[in-house]
Structures are given as C-alpha cells and as structure tokens.
Amino acid sequence: MDLSINIQEDKIFAAVTGRIDTSTSPLFEERMQPLLENANKEIELDLQGLTYISSAGLRLFLILQKKVSTAGGKLVLRHMANDIANVFKMTGFSKIFNIVD
Amino acid sequence: MARKEERTTFARKQTLSRRLSRIITIWACIIFFAFSIGANMNARRMVSIDAEHDAFVQLDYINLEVNSVLNNVVTLISNYEPLVSEELQKTHFDSSTIAYLTQHIVNSDSNIHSFVLSLDPKISSSQEGFSLLASRDSLGRTIITQTGKNKEYMQTNCYRHTSKTNTGVWSSPYESYYTPGVWICSYSQPLHNKSGEFIGMITANISTSRLTQFLGHVNIRPNALTFIISDDGELLLSDSCHSTLKDSFIARHEDSSDTLWQSIEQKMHAGEHGECTLMNSDETVLYYYSPLSQLQGWSIGVACNKSEILMGLNKQTRTVVIFDILVAICMFLLISRLIKRHTKPIRELANSAREIAQGNYNASLPEPSPNSELMELQDAFDYMQHSLDFYNRQLKKQASEKQRLASEKELSRVIQEGMIPHPTQAIIDCPYTDIYGIIRPAREVGGDLYDYFITPTSMFIAIGDVSGKGIPASLLMTEVKTMLHTLKNAQLGPARMINISNHFIIESNRADMFVTMFLGTVEFSTGKFTYCNAGHNPPILCSPDGTTVELPVESNMPLGCFDDIDFVEQEVFLTPGQLVMLYTDGISEAENAFLERYGVPRLLQFISDSRALAVQHIAEGLLNHIIHFMTGSDQSDDISMLGLRYHHPELAPKPFATTLYMSNNLNELEKITAILNELQTHCPLTDELKSSINLALEEIVVNIINYAYTDTKHHQIAIYLSLFQNKLEFAVSDDGKAFDPTKAPDADIDAPIEDRSIGGLGIFIARQTMDEMEYIRVDETNILLMRKTI
C-alpha cells in the first residue's frame, strides 16, 4: 500500500496503490492524515493502482468522506477498478462517494 | 527437599536428647531447690532460737553481775548498821570511831562511790544534826568529811522515805549532789535505837557506771545494744557502747509517741521477761528483755538488728545457691552425655533408615545392642529393610513388565493402524470419489475394520466388527482384513465374498468368535450399489434433500457362526450426491454418563444436518459429536465409520480439497490469497471472483481474530476448502466464543452518509459475496459453511 499526496493551493491530488486490507489499513490511516487536515478543500483520490480493499479500508474511506462532508470540502474518487467498484456497490458506498471514471 | 527433611529430622533428634536432659535437669533442680529452701527456712528458725537463747543467757549473766555488786553493798551496810547503831546509842558517841568504821566500809568495796551517815538532830549534840560524808579522791583514797549541817539533806525524799521504813531501799538513779556529772544510785538504810526509834540514815552510793560496766562484756552480736532501764524509766547504757543501733535506739526511747516502744517499756517496767520485734523504715530490730532481780522495777534488755542475726545464714545461703547452680550445670552436662551415649544406637538406626529411604536397601545396620528394647527395634528394622528390598524388586519387575506390555500394545496399534487405508489416500486413488473413514479403538488395538478398493469403473467398500475387543479381537480382525485383501482382487460379487469369508473364518476360528460385516460395490456409471450384509448394522443412506434413512438390508447371520448359510445379496441405485455411511455399533451404542445411548435417530439427524459438508467433515464432525456425547464416561467399544458420496464420473468436476490452518494473527491472512491462487490452478476461477472470495474469507477470519477470543492465547482457525462439480465450499472453524454471522444485522446500504456506521461491514460483505452461508456450533467450535457456485 502506498499513498502519495500532492497538496495544491485549492486542490489536493492523491493516489493510492496496492492493497488496503486489515494489515495495511493502519498505515493508510496514518498516511491519510494530511487529507483529513485539508478536508475543507477539494480532494481528488486516484484509485487506479488500488488492487484490493477490505472492510477495514472501506471504514477509512467512510471516515474521510464524513470529514470532508462536515468540513465543506469535496472528495472525488477516480479510476476505480471493477472489483473495487463491486465492493463499493455491494456495500452501498457507491451512493455515498463521488466516483468518476 | 530431601536435604531439608534430613535437617528437620536431625533437628528433631537433637531436640529429643536435649529435651530429655533439660526435663530431667529441671525436675532435679526443682527438687534440689525445694530442699534447699526448706533447709534454709529451718536454719533461719534455728538461728532465731539460738539468738534468743544467747540473748537471755547474756541477760542472766548481767543480772548476776549486777546482783553481786548490789548484794555486796547491801551486805556491807547490814554489817555496818549494828556497829554504828551501837556506837550511836552511847551517850557520847565517838565520831572518830564512826569515821573509822565508815572508812573501813568504803575501803572494803571499791564499788561504793560515796557514803553518807546522817543523824537526826534530836540525838545529835548539835541543833543542826550530824552527818558524815565519805567520798573518794582522784587517786581512790577515802576522804571523810564531818559536818553538822544536814538540815537540807533531811528534807530530801530519800531521807524522809527511808525514815519511815525499817529496811534498806535502792533509789532511782540521780545526779550526785557532791560530785556533779556523776550519776549514782543509792542504797539507804534507816538507823534505829534500841527502843526502835528512827535516829538516822546511812546511804551508800554507787555509780551507775558500776552497773553498766557489765553491759558491754558479752554481746550476742558485735553491734547488739545492751541497756538497763531503771524503775523511773531512766535509760542506762555502757560508757563503752559503740553500737550502730545506739542513736536510733535513744531517739526511739525519747520519742513519747512511739507506742510500740512504750509497750515494751511497760512490760519491762512490770518485770516481764520476753522478746519483741520492732520495725522501722530500713531495719528490723529484735528486743529481748528480762527484769533485774535485785532492783524492783528495773529491767535489762538487748537489742539487735535482725539482719545481723541472719547475716551468717544469708552468706551461707548465697554460697549454697551458687553451689546449686554449679551442680545443676554439671548435672545437665552429665545427663546430656549419658542420654547421648544411650541413644547412640537409635541415632545410628535413624541414619540407616535415611539411607534405606534413599534407596540403599543394603545399608548396614548398627552392631546389635545388649539393651533388649533396642534389640527388638533393631530386629524390626532388619525385617523392614529386607521387606522393602523384596517389594522394591517386585515393583521394578512389574513396572518393567508393564512398560514392555505398553510398548508392545503401542506397536500393535501402529501395525493395526497401518493395515487400514489412510482416508485421504482414497481421494488420490479416485479423484471422482468423496470417501472418508475413521477407526477409533476403545483400547490400543481393536476388532473393527473398514476397507475399500477402487477400480476405474467401480468401488468396493466394506466394514466389519469382530466380536469382543482388544488383542483377541484385533488378531481375528487382522486375519479378516488379510482375507478381504486377497478376495477383493478376485472381482467377486459381495455375496460370494461373504460366503467365502464365512467358510474361511469357520475353518480358522478356534475361539468361537464371530464377525459382523457389510460389504458392497458401487458401479460409477450407473450408481448401482450391490451389497451383502452379515449380521452388521444397516448403513445410513442420505440424499441431498436431507432425506436420511437406514439402507434396507437383510440382516443375515454374522460370519463364523454356521457354515451352511446362504447370504442374500441386495442392490439399490444411488443418485448423484447421495451419501452412504457405513458404521459399527460402537457409534449407535455409545453411552453417556447417564447410560443413555447415542442411538440411530441421533445418528440419522446428525448426518442429515451436516449433509452439505464434505464426507471428511461429516465423519470428523460425527466423531466429535459422539465424543462430546460420551463426556463423563469411557468409550466402551471400538468406533468405526466409512462414508461414501456418489458422484457421476462424467458430471463430476475435477475435485479439489485442502485444509488451511492459520493462527489468530493478522499476518497469516496472506495464506488465504495463497490458497486461492492454488485453487485457481484447479478450476476456471476469474480474478474478480477470486478477489471477492478472498475478501469474504478475509472479512470472516479478521472478524474471528478480532472478536472471537476472550484471551490472548494462540488459537487455530481452520478453513476446509473443497471443490465438487462447480460448487466451492468453505468451512471456517474456530474455537472462539459462539457467534452466528448469519444472524448479524445487515448494513443499511441506502442510508445517507451521516447515518452510515464506521464498522460492521465485514460480515455483510462476506454474506453478499457468498451464495449460501450456514452456521453450526459443534463441541465449542464455530463452523461457518459458505458455498459459492463458480
């Protein structure tokens, strides 16, 4: 799992690669702190390299989305793979998140 | 531990001899001291009596001495009086004659201090009377002074008192009129003429020091104080008195408030004879008193400190106490030594006993002692030593025998186990067959057996139960097993095999044992199941829809009973997915602690309930269920089962089964990915599907790891994976607390973001991914069954 974050003035570009499962989710939670701190801005999270996500990862996505919604920012998920999209769909997360191709 | 015991025993032994010596010494000391105290008290009494005796002897002596002085004076005066009277009755008496007589008297008794002759004026020529004074000068010479003036003298009490009496009288002590500072005591005698008229008086004075001179002569104790008390209470002490009692005694005498002393004085004054004890703050004084016989109302006494009387005795007592202590110490040492010497054989015996206790049965016993009791003890010891040695040898022999037997039994078990085909071997032998068997003997070895044999077109299965159990049963079982092994290659029908077996067993069976057996063959292409039963319990037939029944069988006779029996062969057609479970009566007749049997209905129910599982899991689950049922009672019979599920060979996919064991550690999750990758090589599994299955399994396992265990110990989680046809089946088992994931509430996927909970998604994802999910709790174990059609 790797998360790269590029903070611009009014927008943040982030990209995650690898797996977010039970064992890697603590690392993701730690790495995503800058995103939570800038939750009032527009965050674009690229999921092209994300190969696997478990409920532990979904939980962190939900935390981020809640924070962004409260702070008045915006979270956009890009380039989601099919199996990840299935999980999002299965869990109703696709209705909560702004997912674009 | 052994050392500690040794020390304790040693300490106890020490205490015994010490304690004996101590007890004896203490009692001896008590008796000794009691005697000493008694003797001391007696000595005190004797000393007191002695002191009293001494005191009165002394007082008697003084009395005698004083009497002799006084008597001398009285005698002299008595002799002098007629002479003087005669001279005086002459008309003109010659004063020189009187002076001569007077001088003679005074000279003849040195005790006489002075002498006075006083004549009444009526007979003297002078108006003023006549008086004559004889006294001594500093050299002791007698000086006679004649004077006519005696008017004053005649006025004295003494003179007047004497003039009225006829006999001589001793006066109380008083200070001398002529020699001031000298205390004297006078003896006065009246003078009468022939007609009896009083004409004058003669008085002899003696110094009181003449009386007290005897007081210091003899003393009962160096510091004793001897004293004289006159009739008027005057205290007379010896001039040479240096008694330490003197000051306190004089003070007491002068203290008119001392009633105790007053009472003594009264008694003395009354002429009593006795003893009295007076105490003041720091001393106890003993008084002994006795009257002076010559002087009316006078008394002599002796005072002595009680401590002084007992001084010698106290000194002696101290010496005796020191002596006693020395004797006690010597006695203790002597007794200790004696006891030690006499208990030496016991100590030696104790040492030998310790040596024997440590396993040295040949430890030497001490030399026989002439003491009869110890001799007896020694005999008993000797006997014990030999008995111990004997029993120990016996025990060792038995133990080694037991060990040999145990190792033989263990070896037999391994050999017998090796005769039974290993269940997983079947899967390798026939990839289209799901077959699994278990044997659990009641003892190391048993009489149960199962066997199978697979050909490309059919499969032969058999189960048997030799009557009895243990080694005899196992021997016959081995024979039957060998026979089956020979016969199965001959491709005979079940009934034929049974008949041949029967003959064979009857021929070789000398011990009247019998064998129940069920055997049959399944034809893969048609599902035809031909079977023959020889007195064995009917197998269970379970259909995929849950219908579970006993296979209809002719019971027939067991093998080995009668030679002329025709065993009936039967047949049924199995449909794909049907399960046939062969078992021995060790299952149906298993009893629990309440003597309740497991029974066929329970067996039917269990198989029906677990029919969705692979045969291996059904068999293992059934065994666990029975073991759990038997909790509290021992397994009384061998338990065996052989299960077979029929699959049509053309419809059956290439089966795959494996078991993944992992510990409750999140790092082990990677094993799931690995096993799914392996599965992918056996069947056409898309990456997408693999990923979702991986997700579901991981969510279930993470849930178990995070929430199932209340402790932090290591636990094992097992995932049984099997693939039949196009159905994947997963059974996840764990020994955590009971939890049914199928009952967990669904996540509300339509809820707005603010209402979505952060957790609880894992099980929901798994449930959504899998086609079917079933939960069973068996023997403290959670089993979650998940199926997915691919």
Side-chain angles (χ1 to χ4, degrees):
Chain A
M1 198 293 300
D2 193 32
L3 175 65
S4 62
I5 299 171
N6 178 9
I7 302 177
Q8 304 276 320
E9 205 170 311
D10 55 345
K11 198 169 177 184
I12 297 163
F13 292 98
V16 61
T17 56
R19 296 163 61 93
I20 307 177
D21 55 22
T22 314
S23 47
T24 57
S25 60
L27 179 65
F28 183 74
E29 187 168 12
E30 191 190 313
R31 295 275 189 85
M32 74 179 225
Q33 287 310 309
L35 300 182
L36 294 176
E37 284 159 18
N38 294 285
N40 55 343
K41 296 180 183 166
E42 187 181 336
I43 302 169
E44 194 177 303
L45 185 55
D46 193 323
L47 303 181
Q48 193 158 27
L50 182 67
T51 54
Y52 181 88
I53 189 163
S54 79
S55 63
L58 292 177
R59 180 177 155 269
L60 298 176
F61 271 68
L62 187 63
I63 288 171
L64 180 61
Q65 181 64 63
K66 279 192 174 183
K67 181 85 178 176
V68 166
S69 304
T70 323
K74 193 179 171 193
L75 175 67
V76 179
L77 305 182
R78 276 193 182 277
H79 305 124
M80 190 183 279
N82 272 347
D83 41 358
I84 306 289
N86 278 341
V87 176
F88 270 68
K89 198 173 167 187
M90 187 197 297
T91 54
F93 272 36
S94 50
K95 294 173 194 164
I96 298 168
F97 288 87
N98 186 1
I99 304 169
V100 296
D101 288 337
Chain B
M1 190 68 191
R3 286 184 74 85
K4 193 180 172 188
E5 272 171 22
E6 205 171 297
R7 272 205 302 276
T8 321
T9 328
F10 185 67
R12 203 174 296 143
K13 190 186 72 193
Q14 278 284 1
T15 322
L16 178 73
S17 85
R18 282 256 169 98
R19 207 167 50 199
L20 265 176
S21 331
R22 210 162 51 218
I23 290 169
I24 294 171
T25 312
I26 287 172
W27 277 106
C29 284
I30 288 172
I31 294 165
F32 201 60
F33 277 103
F35 270 117
S36 299
I37 289 167
N40 187 265
M41 284 169 75
N42 194 42
R44 271 167 183 267
R45 205 168 54 81
M46 296 305 287
V47 165
S48 297
I49 292 170
D50 268 7
E52 188 183 339
H53 183 254
D54 282 358
F56 286 115
V57 166
Q58 189 191 349
L59 293 179
D60 286 349
Y61 162 75
I62 294 167
N63 206 349
L64 281 174
E65 290 291 338
V66 169
N67 278 354
S68 98
V69 170
L70 299 176
N71 283 340
N72 255 348
V73 174
V74 171
T75 310
L76 274 174
I77 295 296
S78 310
N79 294 336
Y80 174 75
E81 187 258 347
L83 297 174
V84 173
S85 294
E86 192 181 331
E87 184 63 35
L88 285 177
Q89 282 177 33
K90 293 175 182 170
T91 322
H92 295 286
F93 66 87
D94 182 4
S95 61
S96 64
T97 309
I98 291 172
Y100 169 77
L101 280 172
T102 303
Q103 189 167 21
H104 179 75
I105 283 178
V106 174
N107 283 345
S108 63
D109 189 350
S110 61
N111 286 327
I112 295 175
H113 169 264
S114 55
F115 186 88
V116 177
L117 171 70
S118 185
L119 291 182
D120 206 74
K122 62 189 175 199
I123 64 151
S124 62
S125 51
S126 154
Q127 193 67 31
E128 291 176 326
F130 170 85
S131 65
L132 187 81
L133 171 69
S135 60
R136 293 175 192 274
D137 66 5
S138 56
L139 297 171
R141 289 175 301 205
T142 311
I143 300 163
I144 308 289
T145 317
Q146 194 177 320
T147 161
K149 297 178 181 175
N150 67 346
K151 246 187 182 167
E152 283 174 30
Y153 185 74
M154 280 155 55
Q155 299 303 316
T156 60
N157 282 338
C158 172
Y159 188 88
R160 278 192 287 175
H161 176 73
T162 312
S163 65
K164 292 170 187 163
T165 61
N166 288 322
T167 57
V169 180
W170 281 100
S171 73
S172 300
Y174 59 95
E175 196 171 0
S176 169
Y177 179 75
Y178 301 104
T179 48
V182 176
W183 280 73
I184 51 172
C185 195
S186 314
Y187 180 77
S188 308
Q189 174 141 358
L191 292 173
H192 294 100
N193 57 16
K194 279 182 180 162
S195 52
E197 281 173 310
F198 175 78
I199 55 168
M201 185 179 79
I202 44 174
T203 302
N205 299 320
I206 57 167
S207 166
T208 53
S209 64
R210 289 290 169 173
L211 301 178
T212 58
Q213 65 178 327
F214 306 111
L215 296 183
H217 284 189
V218 182
N219 247 341
I220 52 168
R221 291 291 181 274
N223 280 316
L225 177 74
T226 320
F227 57 93
I228 294 175
I229 290 177
S230 67
D231 54 348
D232 63 348
E234 199 66 51
L235 178 69
L236 303 178
L237 295 172
S238 162
D239 293 338
S240 59
C241 173
H242 300 297
S243 172
T244 51
L245 272 174
K246 193 174 171 184
D247 293 338
S248 64
F249 177 73
I250 291 170
R252 170 165 268 168
H253 177 67
E254 287 170 355
D255 180 7
S256 58
S257 65
D258 193 337
T259 50
L260 283 169
W261 173 248
Q262 300 289 336
S263 76
I264 293 178
E265 274 195 324
Q266 274 176 17
K267 284 176 184 170
M268 289 174 84
H269 192 65
E272 283 181 27
H273 177 99
E275 175 200 352
C276 191
T277 308
L278 287 192
M279 276 185 279
N280 57 16
S281 56
D282 53 350
E283 56 187 4
T284 305
V285 182
L286 292 170
Y287 290 91
Y288 305 96
Y289 50 88
S290 176
L292 264 178
S293 53
Q294 193 67 29
L295 297 170
Q296 182 70 33
W298 290 53
S299 187
I300 44 172
V302 60
C304 187
N305 265 331
K306 192 174 183 180
S307 61
E308 203 183 340
I309 290 174
L310 298 174
M311 194 167 65
L313 183 66
N314 287 342
K315 222 181 242 176
Q316 194 193 341
T317 307
R318 274 196 293 278
T319 316
V320 167
V321 167
I322 291 168
F323 176 74
D324 282 359
I325 290 169
L326 286 175
V327 166
I329 291 169
C330 292
M331 202 156 66
F332 177 75
L333 293 175
L334 184 70
I335 290 168
S336 298
R337 188 166 276 262
L338 279 174
I339 288 176
K340 223 175 218 175
R341 195 201 295 165
H342 283 274
T343 54
K344 194 181 167 201
I346 297 178
R347 270 203 308 283
E348 284 171 354
L349 270 179
N351 285 336
S352 305
R354 257 196 296 283
E355 236 179 283
I356 293 167
Q358 281 161 6
N360 179 11
Y361 296 105
N362 299 320
S364 62
L365 290 178
E367 284 298 305
S369 153
N371 187 318
S372 60
E373 285 94 342
L374 283 179
M375 209 42 177
E376 241 169 71
L377 182 62
Q378 199 149 359
D379 281 349
F381 242 89
D382 197 35
Y383 178 68
M384 182 194 79
Q385 188 180 19
H386 284 108
S387 300
L388 272 176
D389 191 23
F390 174 74
Y391 286 128
N392 191 50
R393 277 171 208 274
Q394 289 272 318
L395 216 67
K396 268 186 186 163
K397 206 169 149 190
Q398 281 173 6
S400 74
E401 183 73 14
K402 222 171 176 175
Q403 202 174 2
R404 190 181 61 80
L405 214 66
S407 68
E408 279 179 6
K409 275 186 177 175
E410 174 59 19
L411 205 61
S412 309
R413 187 188 65 78
V414 173
I415 291 170
Q416 200 180 31
E417 229 175 54
M419 291 176 185
I420 305 297
H422 195 271
T424 51
Q425 189 63 35
I427 292 162
I428 299 162
D429 289 347
C430 175
Y432 308 109
T433 315
D434 185 11
I435 183 167
Y436 197 83
I438 295 175
I439 287 186
R440 191 181 197 264
R443 299 180 188 167
E444 285 83 358
V445 288
D448 278 11
L449 77 150
Y450 71 75
D451 202 2
Y452 61 82
F453 182 69
I454 295 162
T455 69
T457 56
S458 66
M459 179 180 222
F460 160 79
I461 52 171
I463 195 160
D465 183 358
V466 179
S467 60
K469 46 189 183 268
I471 292 172
S474 78
L475 288 173
L476 187 54
M477 172 261 170
T478 309
E479 207 172 307
V480 173
K481 167 76 181 126
T482 314
M483 184 186 64
L484 282 180
H485 210 74
T486 319
L487 290 176
K488 70 190 176 189
N489 289 319
Q491 297 278 323
L492 304 167
R496 185 104 179 83
M497 279 176 83
I498 287 281
N499 275 316
I500 294 170
S501 301
N502 191 29
H503 290 308
F504 185 78
I505 290 166
I506 284 171
E507 274 172 27
S508 62
N509 180 14
R510 300 264 186 277
D512 289 334
M513 293 171 84
F514 60 85
V515 184
T516 67
M517 184 174 283
F518 177 94
L519 57 81
T521 51
V522 181
E523 205 175 84
F524 287 144
S525 56
T526 58
K528 190 171 99 176
F529 182 33
T530 314
Y531 57 91
C532 184
N533 187 37
H536 199 82
N537 9 6
I540 309 289
L541 181 64
C542 175
S543 301
D545 63 359
T547 316
T548 310
V549 291
E550 286 189 310
L551 195 70
V553 293
E554 287 291 333
S555 74
N556 296 329
M557 288 294 288
L559 305 177
C561 298
F562 303 103
D563 202 6
D564 55 348
I565 297 169
D566 220 5
F567 289 91
V568 182
E569 191 172 275
Q570 293 167 279
E571 64 173 43
V572 290
F573 279 88
L574 300 177
T575 56
Q578 266 192 328
L579 172 81
V580 180
M581 179 64 86
L582 280 52
Y583 68 96
T584 57
D585 58 4
I587 289 179
S588 51
E589 289 168 16
E591 282 182 346
N592 64 11
F594 307 104
L595 302 181
E596 191 185 351
R597 287 190 172 188
Y598 187 75
V600 176
R602 223 184 293 264
L603 177 62
L604 292 174
Q605 187 62 47
F606 185 89
I607 290 175
S608 174
D609 288 349
S610 58
R611 67 186 184 279
L613 297 173
V615 178
Q616 180 186 351
H617 304 149
I618 296 172
E620 283 173 347
L622 177 59
L623 179 65
N624 281 337
H625 197 233
I626 294 163
I627 290 169
H628 188 247
F629 176 78
M630 291 192 300
T631 306
S633 67
D634 292 332
Q635 181 186 340
S636 58
D637 199 0
D638 305 334
I639 289 175
S640 309
M641 61 184 105
L642 178 67
L644 165 84
R645 184 176 271 134
Y646 169 67
H647 291 294
H648 194 282
E650 287 163 22
L651 297 176
K654 192 181 174 187
F656 173 73
T658 187
T659 308
L660 167 66
Y661 295 105
M662 51 200 293
S663 67
N664 54 331
N665 183 337
L666 291 174
N667 293 334
E668 303 247 305
L669 290 174
E670 287 166 14
K671 286 184 177 174
I672 295 175
T673 313
I675 202 168
L676 290 179
N677 286 340
E678 195 190 337
L679 175 70
Q680 211 170 14
T681 63
H682 285 82
C683 65
L685 189 65
T686 62
D687 284 347
E688 202 179 313
L689 190 57
K690 188 183 81 176
S691 185
S692 65
I693 291 171
N694 193 347
L695 179 62
L697 284 177
E698 197 177 305
E699 294 292 355
I700 291 297
V701 172
V702 165
N703 199 56
I704 291 168
I705 293 172
N706 285 344
Y707 303 112
Y709 304 111
T710 49
D711 54 30
T712 53
K713 288 181 192 157
H714 171 85
H715 294 274
Q716 182 175 275
I717 301 164
I719 303 176
Y720 307 106
L721 183 160
S722 58
L723 171 70
F724 287 111
Q725 298 171 339
N726 57 348
K727 267 194 177 175
L728 260 179
E729 187 178 85
F730 303 93
V732 182
S733 81
D734 67 87
D735 59 349
K737 61 182 179 187
F739 174 67
D740 183 357
T742 61
K743 299 266 168 58
D746 274 340
D748 184 1
I749 58 168
D750 295 323
I753 178 159
E754 55 270 21
D755 294 342
R756 290 300 300 263
S757 78
I758 301 291
L761 272 177
I763 289 166
F764 177 72
I765 290 172
R767 215 151 55 192
Q768 291 296 308
T769 308
M770 294 295 182
D771 297 343
E772 286 173 45
M773 202 183 256
E774 263 182 62
Y775 168 80
I776 35 176
R777 174 89 177 162
V778 183
D779 292 332
E780 307 293 315
T781 303
N782 293 311
I783 300 176
L784 183 65
L785 295 169
M786 293 177 286
R787 285 178 210 98
K788 180 83 180 167
T789 307
I790 54 173

